[in-house]
Amino acid sequence: MKDGTATLEVPHGKTFKLKPLQFNGPCNFPSVHFQLEGNIIAPRNTKAWKGHDSERWIEFLNIDGLIIDGGGQINARGSVWWEFCRENSCSRPTALFIHNCNKFLLNGTRHLNSARNHISINSCTNSKVYNVTTIAPEDSPNTDGIDISQSSYILIQDSTFATGDDCIAINGGTSYINITGVTCGPGHGISVGSLGKKQSYEVVEHVRVYNCSFTGTTNGMRIKTWEGGSGYARNISFQHIILTNTSNPIIIDQKYSDLTNEGKEQTSAVQISGVTYRDVKGTSQSEIAIILDCGGVTGCTDIFMDSINITATSSGSKVRASCNNVHGFTTFTSPPVPCLS
């Protein structure tokens, strides 16, 4: 213990193999410091999870003032799960799960090859993620860099995500999320959603993605909602964005299909409004560089685009925009968006 802080150290140059592990508060210290200078690795055999929650590997629960930092590495060795779950219907563990830890700091760590999400942030407030790197193969399933849910006032800054799924996924119950200085690729981009699955009510608001880059991603800036859901996604901005060889650079998909309602006309939708794209530049692998596909009765409203310049990756090719049931306006946008004035 130092200065009222309880410290657990993983020394530099040392490697420790951990079975599923849970750190559960509340704690009697104002702060808990997990100083990761060395390496942590997961078991190679899925049987190590027998008797444990197969959806988690390392959990921090109910610890306010948590600090996880250092130049160390968390290697979940998830390939055994990717192979096993291709042949068997099974849940896979998130590598690092942080729940109800207010004012936590995650700084300087490296995260490799999670079986599923690398980092999940749930029910946390006033917390920061700095200088974090996550890496997994481009074809690894559902290996999101960071998933955020039921949380507010979260800052993610100066970090790199190269995974098989979303670099950052912003799920229901989140607000005041600030993402800045992030490098994404490969992966599926930065996503709001999906929201409204199985006719659920979900909300996301006050999201700011600023000064970020996407390289070789299958999506860039994405908002996705299920048909038949309800709630809202609003006050979302993407500004100062660089795209390099990105498929679907800008996409709003309000028509995710829920198989339980397939064939039924859906009038309800998660309402999407107040979305700003400003100073977005770069290249698209896809012919359709901007997709705004909105449903429900009102569609998407108050969509604003300014200083957009997206060209084709291939010399001599052209890109275009596609839109449906979208309301708003554009200035200095290329390709032009036909349903926005």
Side-chain angles (χ1 to χ4, degrees):
M1 186 176 73
K2 183 179 179 181
D3 299 327
T5 300
T7 301
L8 174 62
E9 181 181 1
V10 178
H12 178 74
K14 300 292 185 180
T15 298
F16 297 88
K17 183 166 71 173
L18 292 183
K19 287 187 175 183
L21 184 64
Q22 184 182 98
F23 298 90
N24 198 348
C27 298
N28 293 324
F29 302 96
S31 181
V32 174
H33 186 186
F34 187 77
Q35 189 171 341
L36 180 62
E37 301 292 345
N39 302 309
I40 295 173
I41 59 174
R44 287 193 181 277
N45 197 322
T46 61
K47 293 180 181 178
W49 271 259
K50 187 175 181 179
H52 298 274
D53 184 353
S54 62
E55 295 188 352
R56 312 277 190 267
W57 176 31
I58 301 171
E59 299 180 76
F60 290 90
L61 314 175
N62 309 309
I63 305 172
D64 290 346
L66 171 68
I67 300 170
I68 304 173
D69 67 359
Q73 181 169 280
I74 297 175
N75 186 348
R77 303 204 288 187
S79 59
V80 63
W81 288 93
W82 307 333
E83 294 300 325
F84 181 69
C85 291
R86 282 192 180 104
E87 301 174 3
N88 305 273
S89 178
C90 62
S91 59
R92 289 170 282 131
T94 291
L96 179 62
F97 183 78
I98 302 173
H99 170 77
N100 195 32
C101 296
N102 300 314
K103 298 183 180 179
F104 81 78
L105 170 66
L106 177 63
N107 179 33
T109 50
R110 182 178 171 91
H111 305 255
L112 302 181
N113 299 324
S114 181
R116 198 164 185 269
N117 306 335
H118 285 79
I119 302 163
S120 285
I121 298 170
N122 175 263
S123 299
C124 299
T125 62
N126 296 301
S127 299
K128 299 177 181 180
V129 177
Y130 288 111
N131 301 312
V132 162
T133 299
T134 68
I135 298 175
E138 187 173 0
D139 62 350
S140 56
N142 305 114
T143 52
D144 294 6
I146 297 180
D147 268 24
I148 310 171
S149 60
Q150 303 297 325
S151 298
S152 60
Y153 296 99
I154 305 295
L155 171 64
I156 301 172
Q157 184 171 343
D158 297 335
S159 296
T160 299
F161 302 94
T163 69
D165 209 293
D166 292 335
C167 294
I168 301 171
I170 303 162
N171 298 301
T174 60
S175 61
Y176 296 97
I177 308 299
N178 190 346
I179 299 167
T180 182
V182 159
T183 299
C184 174
H188 294 181
I190 294 177
S191 294
V192 174
S194 60
L195 305 174
K197 188 175 183 180
K198 296 182 179 178
Q199 298 180 298
S200 61
Y201 176 90
E202 293 187 292
V203 300
V204 169
E205 62 182 333
H206 301 296
V207 175
R208 179 178 182 260
V209 179
Y210 184 87
N211 193 29
C212 295
S213 65
F214 300 85
T215 302
T217 54
T218 56
N219 299 289
M221 298 150 280
R222 178 167 59 164
I223 302 173
K224 49 181 180 174
T225 68
W226 292 82
E227 289 188 301
S230 60
Y232 55 82
R234 65 192 184 193
N235 297 332
I236 299 165
S237 68
F238 302 93
Q239 299 186 56
H240 307 304
I241 304 296
I242 300 296
L243 308 162
T244 304
N245 202 26
T246 299
S247 298
N248 305 318
I250 296 174
I251 179 169
I252 296 177
D253 183 1
Q254 208 177 16
K255 294 184 178 181
Y256 256 37
S257 176
D258 190 332
L259 294 179
T260 61
N261 293 305
E262 195 171 90
K264 301 178 183 178
E265 185 177 355
Q266 300 297 320
T267 57
S268 67
V270 176
Q271 298 299 307
I272 298 174
S273 64
V275 183
T276 297
Y277 303 88
R278 177 176 283 119
D279 187 24
V280 177
K281 300 174 181 177
T283 56
S284 171
Q285 289 188 45
S286 307
E287 178 190 354
I288 306 177
I290 299 173
I291 301 172
L292 307 177
D293 191 12
C294 298
V297 175
T298 59
C300 303
T301 60
D302 193 23
I303 309 301
F304 174 57
M305 293 187 169
D306 174 50
S307 301
I308 312 296
N309 185 14
I310 303 174
T311 59
T313 297
S314 302
S315 177
S317 298
K318 293 183 178 181
V319 297
R320 60 187 178 90
S322 171
C323 60
N324 176 56
N325 204 11
V326 184
H327 310 280
F329 64 99
T330 66
T331 57
F332 307 108
T333 294
S334 179
V337 184
C339 58
L340 297 179
S341 58

